[in-house]
Amino acid sequence: MYGIYKVKKEYEPFVIGREQLLYDLLKENGEQSNDLKEIHYLCDIIEPEIIDEAILSNLSKVFETIERENGEYKLTHPVKGSILISLSAYSLSVFCDGSRMLDLDLFVALSEVDSRFFAVMDNNGEWGWLKPIKFSDSERKTAAIFR
């Protein structure tokens, strides 16, 4: 089970290099994280239109069926398995049943619509940006100041 959050653009430089702290905040509070003031401060509200674009435009080519109802999506692939996605104000809850390739498909689709998605998988202690962050030399120096 994953929780996927969208870090606000103005706080991305602050979070870079401190991802472990963000992970600790998100994993400790699990289901309640959408109610936390820290989440409201650090993360953007997830717009359903962006998720629709990511899923319907990018994943319809990969998955055999895509069902959408009341802010939930179920995507099915005959070989890889299925993905169940629930949308709330500040996060996506994602359950993959099958191959780890399902994760990759979803991560690529979401990272194509925005680069600031951050995923937390508490059961395995995994976390990270869906799209690797690239820096120019000047951005690296600025990011180092925030550490």
Side-chain angles (χ1 to χ4, degrees):
M1 178 85 130
Y2 287 95
I4 299 177
Y5 302 82
K6 185 178 170 188
V7 175
K8 288 182 179 176
K9 187 171 186 73
E10 61 265 28
Y11 299 120
E12 185 179 26
F14 177 78
V15 172
I16 294 170
R18 294 181 176 92
E19 288 88 350
Q20 180 72 50
L21 295 173
L22 180 58
Y23 166 73
D24 291 340
L25 172 72
L26 297 172
K27 78 166 174 107
E28 286 179 15
N29 299 291
E31 294 295 321
Q32 302 167 358
S33 64
N34 283 322
D35 297 330
L36 293 175
K37 291 178 185 175
E38 295 89 347
I39 300 304
H40 295 211
Y41 184 77
L42 289 170
C43 299
D44 273 334
I45 291 176
I46 296 180
E47 300 166 12
E49 299 80 26
I50 290 176
I51 303 309
D52 273 352
E53 180 183 338
I55 292 173
L56 300 176
S57 298
N58 298 329
L59 293 176
S60 62
K61 304 165 197 154
V62 178
F63 287 86
E64 191 172 276
T65 60
I66 297 177
E67 300 170 25
R68 177 178 55 164
E69 186 177 319
N70 298 328
E72 291 191 353
Y73 301 85
K74 183 174 182 182
L75 296 78
T76 307
H77 187 278
V79 176
K80 295 178 186 177
S82 63
I83 302 174
L84 181 61
I85 303 168
S86 299
L87 179 63
S88 63
Y90 287 90
S91 70
L92 296 172
S93 295
V94 180
F95 178 75
C96 297
D97 184 22
S99 166
R100 288 292 302 251
M101 292 301 293
L102 295 167
D103 306 351
L104 182 59
D105 290 338
L106 179 62
F107 292 173
V108 168
L110 289 172
S111 66
E112 285 182 11
V113 294
D114 201 297
S115 64
R116 294 178 283 120
F117 283 109
F118 187 84
V120 172
M121 185 177 184
D122 188 34
N123 294 344
N124 294 343
E126 297 177 20
W127 49 268
W129 299 100
L130 299 190
K131 186 172 192 171
I133 299 168
K134 297 178 183 175
F135 293 104
S136 67
D137 286 337
S138 63
E139 289 172 323
R140 244 181 278 224
K141 291 173 186 171
T142 303
I145 293 169
F146 289 107
R147 289 191 179 151

